C-alpha cells in the first residue's frame, strides 16, 4: 500500500504501450502485467472506497471537533484532480523528506490543486483545504488522528467541501478538499 498510486500509474502507463505483434514471452509478460494491473486497480479502488466510507460516516453522524460540535453534512465524492494534487505533494514530501503544507519550491495548496486541473474557472465560488499526516500505517489510523485534531476535523466536516482526493507515499498522507459552486443557469450560456 506504501506506493499504491505510483505503482498503479506506472502499471497503467506500461500496459497502454503494448506491441502490435506479441511474441510468446510477450504474451506471458502481458498476462502477468494485466493480473498485476487488475490487483493494483482493485487496491486503488479499495483505498478510495475505504476513505470515502470513513469520511462520509463522520459527515453523516456529525462530530465534535475540539470544543465545537459540527453537525451532519452532505457526503463527499472522490475527485481525481484532487487525488493527483495530493499524490504530487505526498511524493514531494517523501522524496525531499519534509512535512509542510508549503512545498520546498514555495508552492502552496492553491498552486498544487490548480496545477492538477482543479480550477475555479466557470464557477461562482471555489473553496479548498488540505490535511497532511505522517507515519500512520492505516487509513483508520490516519482518519482517527485527523478527527482527533480540531483543525483537521473541521476540514473533514466542512459543508463548503464537496469533493476529496487523497494519496499516501511512504506514509506521507495528503487529503485535499474542494468545493466549487457553479453559476446559476441564467448566467451561463
Amino acid at each position: 500500500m506504501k506506493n499504491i498510486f505510483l505503482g498503479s500509474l506506472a502499471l497503467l502507463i506500461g500496459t497502454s504501450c503494448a506491441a502490435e505483434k506479441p511474441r510468446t514471452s510477450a504474451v506471458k509478460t502481458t498476462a502477468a502485467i494485466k493480473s498485476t494491473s487488475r490487483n493494483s486497480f482493485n487496491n486503488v479502488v479499495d483505498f478510495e472506497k475505504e476513505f470515502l466510507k470513513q469520511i462520509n460516516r463522520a459527515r453523516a453522524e456529525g462530530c465534535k471537533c475540539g470544543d465545537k460540535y459540527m453537525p451532519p453534512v452532505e457526503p463527499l465524492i472522490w475527485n481525481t484532480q484532487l487525488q493527483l494534487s495530493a499524490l504530487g505533494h505526498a511524493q514531494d514530501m517523501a522524496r525531499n523528506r519534509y512535512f509542510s503544507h508549503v512545498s520546498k519550491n514555495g508552492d502552496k495548496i492553491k498552486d498544487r490543486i490548480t496545477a492538477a486541473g482543479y480550477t475555479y474557472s466557470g464557477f461562482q465560488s471555489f473553496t479548498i483545504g488540505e490535511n497532511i499526516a505522517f507515519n500512520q500505517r492505516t487509513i483508520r489510523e490516519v482518519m482517527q488522528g485527523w478527527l482527533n485534531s480540531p483543525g483537521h476535523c473541521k476540514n473533514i466536516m466542512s459543508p463548503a467541501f464537496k469533493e476529496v482526493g487523497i494519496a499516501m507515499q511512504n506514509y506521507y498522507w495528503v487529503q485535499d478538499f474542494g468545493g466549487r459552486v457553479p453559476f446559476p443557469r441564467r448566467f451561463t450560456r
Side-chain angles (χ1 to χ4, degrees):
M1 188 154 130
K2 220 154 97 164
N3 297 314
I4 195 165
F5 292 108
L6 181 59
S8 299
L9 290 173
L11 285 171
L12 292 174
I13 290 167
T15 58
S16 67
C17 301
E20 288 189 27
K21 295 180 181 178
R23 296 183 190 120
T24 306
S25 62
V27 171
K28 290 178 184 174
T29 304
T30 302
I33 288 172
K34 284 182 181 177
S35 174
T36 304
S37 295
R38 193 170 29 258
N39 290 338
S40 295
F41 177 77
N42 289 338
N43 288 340
V44 170
V45 170
D46 291 345
F47 181 87
E48 293 172 12
K49 283 183 180 178
E50 183 60 28
F51 257 117
L52 282 175
K53 180 175 126 186
Q54 290 200 28
I55 291 166
N56 289 330
R57 181 183 309 132
R59 287 175 68 91
E61 295 171 358
C63 68
K64 195 168 183 181
C65 297
D67 293 335
K68 182 174 179 164
Y69 175 74
M70 303 292 287
V73 291
E74 295 294 316
L76 295 178
I77 61 170
W78 195 265
N79 181 286
T80 54
Q81 293 164 326
L82 294 172
Q83 179 185 15
L84 288 173
S85 172
L87 176 60
H89 191 47
Q91 288 174 332
D92 188 54
M93 287 192 295
R95 182 176 40 257
N96 295 303
R97 299 188 185 269
Y98 71 97
F99 183 72
S100 175
H101 289 285
V102 179
S103 300
K104 289 278 190 173
N105 68 358
D107 282 352
K108 296 185 171 112
I109 180 176
K110 183 178 177 186
D111 303 314
R112 293 189 300 269
I113 285 178
T114 56
Y118 192 86
T119 64
Y120 46 85
S121 179
F123 290 92
Q124 181 177 319
S125 67
F126 176 78
T127 307
I128 54 175
E130 180 174 76
N131 287 342
I132 60 175
F134 176 65
N135 215 26
Q136 290 81 358
R137 300 298 185 198
T138 65
I139 293 170
R140 180 183 302 260
E141 187 180 349
V142 75
M143 279 298 298
Q144 193 60 54
W146 282 331
L147 288 170
N148 288 338
S149 165
H152 295 102
C153 180
K154 287 176 185 174
N155 273 347
I156 292 169
M157 296 301 297
S158 173
F161 297 134
K162 310 296 182 200
E163 302 169 291
V164 67
I166 306 162
M168 183 269 291
Q169 179 74 34
N170 295 338
Y171 302 111
Y172 284 88
W173 302 81
V174 179
Q175 185 178 50
D176 283 345
F177 299 94
R180 298 180 288 193
V181 176
F183 285 104
R185 284 193 183 266
R186 64 184 174 167
F187 294 115
T188 59
R189 293 180 185 208

